[in-house]
Amino acid sequence: MKLFLLFFLILSFVHAKTTTDFSVVIHKPFNAALFDITEDHDRTITAVGFSNTFKQNANPSKTYTNAFDYLASVSDKYGAQMNLVKVNNQAKILLDKTAKLSRFNKAVAVVKTPTNGYFIGGYTMDGSLLVAKLDANANLLYSKIFGTKNYDRMSNLVLLSDGGVLAVGSSFTSRDTRDNMFRAGLGNNDIFLTRFSKDGHMLWSKKYGTRFDDNGIDAVEAQDGSIIVVSTMSSQKSRDVSFMRITENGNKIWLNHFITHHNDENLVVPKKIIRLKDNSFVVSLIQYNQVQKEHIRLVKFDLYQNILADKEISTTYPSGLMDIKEFSNGKLMGVGYVKDKHNTDGLAMLIDSDLTMLKQEHYGGKNFDIFYALSILHNSQVAVAGIHTDDYSQEGNMWILKLNQDATIAQIATLSGDFYNVLCKTFAKEIENKKLRIKEDLSIEFTDKTLYFPVGEYKLTHEQKEFLNSFSKKLIPFLYANRELISAFSINGHTSSEWKNVSFKDRYLKNANLSMQRSFSVLSEIFSTQDKAKQKWLSKVLQGSGLSFSHKVMTNGFEDKTKSRRVTFKILLK
C-alpha cells in the first residue's frame, strides 16, 4: 500500500506539471464576448461573438479647442463587429477573424455546413438581420442583410435537416396595411422567422404573434420536419411563455400559451429549446421568485402539447441556464451563470434524464463571468463559450472552455515532445535499471534479457507477466488521460531469422505466425488487466501485428538472435 501511495503521488506530480486546464481567454482592446460554439469536422472548436473595432479618425492631425467637437468627430468611429475564433486540442488559437462591415453588428449563432464551413447569424446595430456563409477557413462566401423597415433583432440561427437554417428573432411592427406580413392582430413587437436554403436563398420570411409584444427566443426542428418555436408575450397585465408549432413552410399549426403570469406572479423567461433523442422537447427557463431571485426550470413536452415533466432546480445562489444539450446516454449538460452579491461565475450543470440535477461546477474569477453556449464534442467532452472578466478589470473578454462529461474542466492534450519527456520521467527507474528504452518517436523496447522470448516460444513467463503488469499500470493510465491526442497504440511481435530445416518461404511464414502469437500474448495480458472504461478505449486504438524477422536486432553487423525475440511498442499521435 505504501508503495502504491508513493507511486500515485509521483504520478500525480508528473501529471500536474505536464497538463493545463483547457481555458482560452481572447483579449481584445474593448469589450468582447462569445455567444455560440461548435465543433469542426477536423475536431477543432469554433466560436462566434463580437469584438469592438476602433476606426482611425480620418483627420488625426486636426486639433480641437472644444471637447464636444472632438467627441462629435469620433462618434460612430468604433463599434461591434462579428468575431470568429478557432482553437485546436492544445488550446492554441488557429484563427481569429473580425468582420469589416460598414454597419456595426454582433453574431449570436454559428452552425456547421457539410463542407466544414459555417453559417453565422446576427444583427446590425441599426436594427437589420444578418446571415453570412463562410468557408472552412472563415473566408466570406456571401452575406445577406434582411428584415423589415423597422427595428429587428436575431436571437438564434437554427440548423435544419436539409442543410439550411432558420433565423429566429423579433421585429417591431409596421403599421403599413399594404404589407401582408403586418395586418391587424400583430402588436408592437412580433416573432420574426426567416428560412434559408443550404445555398443561402431566402425561402420565406414571416411574422407571428398577438396584438401585444411577442419575442421569438429559439426554435428546433421536429422529426417530421415541422418546427417548434418558443417565444414570450408581454402585455400590461401578464407575461406568457408560448410554444408554437409551424410547418416547414411557416404555416402555423398550433400556438400554446403554456405559462401565463399576471403582474403579481413570478416571472419566467425562456432561454433554449432542444429536441431529445426520444423526439420529445426540453425548454430551459429562468424562474424568478417573489424576491426576484432566479433559479432554473426545465419543461419537457411532446409534439402534441402534452407536458411530460416540469421541474424547478433550486440552487443556493441565483442561477440560470442559457444553453442545454443532451449526451448520447440521455443525460443533459446545461451552462449559464450563478451569482452572489460579490460576483457572477460561469455555471456548468449535469442533469439526469428525469431533469434532476446531478452536480454543478462554477468557473470564473472575482468579477463577471458567464457561459452563453455549449457544444457536445465527438468524445462527449463539452466546449463552452462565454465572457471572462479579468481581476480588477471592467472589460469582458471572449472565453472558451473545454469540460469533461462530469462538468469538471478538461486538460489540454499533451504534445509529442511532452509525451516523450513524461514517459521518460514515468519510467526513469526502469530506464536506469536497463529494463527498457524509450525513443523520441515514442517507441518503447524492452532491454532486459529476462523479457525476451525463448526460441520458438510465445507464451509469457512469470517474469514477463510480472513486468508487463508493472509496465501497463504506469503506461495505460497516462495514455488514457491523454487519449484525445492518441491515434493508435501498437504492439509488434518480432522473431529472430532462424528456423531449422525449412525453406526460406516456410521460415518467414512460421516466424510471421510466431511473431503474431507473441504480439497477441502481450496484447491480451495488458488488455485483460484494465478496467472496462480503458478496455473500451483500447479497443479503438490498440493494434497488434507480427513482423516476423523483418526488424532483426543487429550488433556489429551481425544478428543478435536473443534480442530479436521480443515485442516492441509504438504510440502514434494524431
Side-chain angles (χ1 to χ4, degrees):
M1 178 60 74
K2 290 182 178 179
L3 289 175
F4 172 79
L5 291 174
L6 178 61
F7 164 74
F8 179 80
L9 290 172
I10 293 173
L11 187 59
S12 298
F13 175 78
V14 172
H15 186 68
K17 290 294 185 179
T18 56
T19 57
T20 308
D21 290 346
F22 196 108
S23 176
V24 183
V25 177
I26 301 99
H27 292 86
K28 296 290 182 178
F30 305 99
N31 278 321
L34 293 174
F35 295 127
D36 201 9
I37 194 163
T38 188
E39 183 178 29
D40 300 312
H41 299 165
D42 61 0
R43 310 307 195 192
T44 55
I45 297 168
T46 295
V48 295
F50 77 92
S51 59
N52 282 286
T53 300
F54 185 82
K55 295 184 177 180
Q56 294 294 329
N57 190 356
N59 190 4
S61 61
K62 184 176 180 179
T63 59
Y64 297 89
T65 58
N66 186 298
F68 292 101
D69 290 337
Y70 172 74
L71 291 175
S73 73
V74 298
S75 64
D76 202 32
K77 298 298 182 184
Y78 64 93
Q81 290 278 1
M82 289 183 174
N83 207 117
L84 180 145
V85 178
K86 180 195 285 283
V87 299
N88 63 12
N89 283 335
Q90 287 73 50
K92 302 296 183 183
I93 299 174
L94 304 178
L95 200 61
D96 183 358
K97 281 198 173 185
T98 305
K100 300 185 183 301
L101 302 179
S102 58
R103 301 158 75 177
F104 298 123
N105 59 90
K106 290 186 178 181
V108 298
V110 56
V111 298
K112 292 298 298 179
T113 66
T115 56
N116 203 30
Y118 312 91
F119 274 113
I120 309 294
Y123 55 89
T124 65
M125 296 297 100
D126 57 1
S128 295
L129 303 180
L130 174 64
V131 168
K133 189 173 184 180
L134 312 179
D135 66 14
N137 297 315
N139 298 311
L140 181 66
L141 299 177
Y142 58 77
S143 64
K144 294 182 181 295
I145 294 179
F146 63 101
T148 69
K149 296 178 294 184
N150 303 293
Y151 188 82
D152 302 329
R153 179 64 62 92
M154 189 183 299
S155 58
N156 202 7
L157 192 68
V158 180
L159 180 65
L160 303 175
S161 58
D162 64 357
V165 290
L166 180 74
V168 182
S170 307
S171 177
F172 195 80
T173 299
S174 165
R175 287 303 175 187
D176 188 345
T177 58
R178 293 170 296 180
D179 191 337
N180 290 333
M181 285 187 6
F182 311 118
R183 285 183 175 172
L186 298 177
N188 293 330
N189 218 52
D190 297 298
I191 304 165
F192 191 19
L193 305 178
T194 305
R195 182 166 185 164
F196 292 89
S197 71
K198 64 181 180 181
D199 299 319
H201 299 299
M202 185 183 294
L203 301 178
W204 51 261
S205 188
K206 297 184 179 182
K207 283 193 174 187
Y208 310 82
T210 66
R211 60 192 179 92
F212 302 110
D213 278 327
D214 299 279
N215 290 280
I217 303 299
D218 196 15
V220 67
E221 187 178 24
Q223 188 180 32
D224 65 355
S226 63
I227 298 168
I228 306 296
V229 182
V230 62
S231 60
T232 61
M233 188 280 287
S234 301
S235 67
Q236 291 182 342
K237 295 183 178 181
S238 66
R239 294 184 180 182
D240 299 350
V241 174
S242 304
F243 300 138
M244 178 175 65
R245 183 184 177 195
I246 61 174
T247 67
E248 60 183 10
N249 295 318
N251 300 318
K252 184 166 65 176
I253 301 174
W254 51 256
L255 175 65
N256 178 10
H257 295 291
F258 167 64
I259 305 172
T260 300
H261 290 284
H262 297 285
N263 286 340
D264 58 346
E265 296 183 355
N266 302 334
L267 175 66
V268 177
V269 179
K271 289 298 179 181
K272 187 70 177 179
I273 185 171
I274 61 170
R275 188 181 93 193
L276 302 179
K277 290 177 174 58
D278 64 2
N279 294 312
S280 63
F281 306 90
V282 166
V283 62
S284 170
L285 307 111
I286 296 177
Q287 173 93 46
Y288 290 82
N289 61 18
Q290 294 178 347
V291 294
Q292 294 303 300
K293 172 190 171 183
E294 62 262 46
H295 57 270
I296 297 157
R297 183 175 178 182
L298 300 174
V299 176
K300 182 178 180 179
F301 63 98
D302 64 18
L303 201 58
Y304 307 103
Q305 309 178 59
N306 299 307
I307 302 301
L308 306 177
D310 185 352
K311 288 196 176 182
E312 295 184 19
I313 300 176
S314 298
T315 52
T316 303
Y317 299 104
S319 304
L321 295 182
M322 308 297 287
D323 195 7
I324 190 168
K325 294 289 192 302
E326 183 185 21
F327 290 105
S328 59
N329 62 8
K331 293 180 181 179
L332 304 171
M333 175 77 80
V335 297
Y337 64 88
V338 55
K339 59 185 180 181
D340 58 25
K341 62 182 180 181
H342 300 293
N343 69 329
T344 298
D345 285 334
L347 169 66
M349 183 175 288
L350 185 63
I351 302 164
D352 209 347
S353 57
D354 63 357
L355 307 186
T356 301
M357 182 183 71
L358 298 175
K359 68 176 300 188
Q360 60 176 314
E361 297 286 348
H362 303 172
Y363 297 95
K366 298 179 180 179
N367 291 334
F368 180 82
D369 303 280
I370 185 171
F371 295 149
Y372 283 110
L374 68 95
S375 177
I376 295 181
L377 307 178
H378 69 285
N379 62 351
S380 294
Q381 288 186 316
V382 179
V384 182
I387 296 175
H388 169 72
T389 308
D390 295 335
D391 293 347
Y392 313 109
S393 172
Q394 301 300 313
E395 293 179 344
N397 306 292
M398 294 184 286
W399 194 19
I400 296 174
L401 262 76
K402 186 186 284 188
L403 304 177
N404 297 312
Q405 191 172 359
D406 62 356
T408 59
I409 193 163
Q411 301 297 300
I412 295 174
T414 309
L415 295 171
S416 176
D418 297 328
F419 254 91
Y420 173 72
N421 292 329
V422 175
L423 285 173
C424 289
K425 290 179 181 178
T426 303
F427 293 102
K429 182 178 179 181
E430 290 82 357
I431 294 172
E432 181 181 357
N433 294 334
K434 301 188 184 309
K435 293 285 187 180
L436 58 79
R437 177 171 58 246
I438 301 174
K439 297 182 179 179
E440 291 190 12
D441 66 353
L442 303 184
S443 61
I444 304 172
E445 297 179 353
F446 293 161
T447 54
D448 187 279
K449 63 180 182 180
T450 63
L451 302 177
Y452 299 133
F453 287 89
V455 177
E457 293 294 330
Y458 64 87
K459 292 183 179 180
L460 298 174
T461 64
H462 173 74
E463 290 81 3
Q464 287 173 319
K465 287 184 177 182
E466 192 174 60
F467 185 80
L468 280 173
N469 185 46
S470 172
F471 171 74
S472 61
K473 282 183 177 179
K474 292 184 178 182
L475 180 64
I476 303 303
F478 170 72
L479 298 183
Y480 184 74
N482 294 278
R483 58 192 179 278
E484 275 304 295
L485 200 60
I486 295 173
S487 173
F489 175 47
S490 63
I491 300 176
N492 304 308
H494 303 268
T495 69
S496 61
S497 62
E498 58 195 313
W499 202 289
K500 291 183 179 181
N501 303 320
V502 296
S503 65
F504 178 82
K505 180 190 76 171
D506 289 339
R507 182 158 53 94
Y508 173 79
L509 292 176
K510 288 179 180 294
N511 276 306
N513 182 56
L514 178 61
S515 64
M516 285 188 286
Q517 289 175 315
R518 287 173 177 171
S519 171
F520 180 76
S521 293
V522 173
L523 183 151
S524 177
E525 183 71 19
I526 291 177
F527 187 84
S528 300
T529 56
Q530 306 305 313
D531 59 40
K532 288 184 178 180
K534 293 183 181 65
Q535 285 181 345
K536 187 174 181 180
W537 172 72
L538 283 171
S539 69
K540 300 175 183 178
V541 299
L542 199 55
Q543 299 175 351
S545 63
L547 301 178
S548 191
F549 50 77
S550 61
H551 290 68
K552 302 185 294 289
V553 176
M554 306 298 290
T555 304
N556 299 322
F558 297 94
E559 177 184 359
D560 190 324
K561 295 179 180 179
T562 299
K563 292 182 179 180
S564 295
R565 306 181 196 113
R566 71 204 191 280
V567 290
T568 59
F569 305 85
K570 183 69 177 291
I571 302 165
L572 301 175
L573 302 183
K574 294 179 180 178

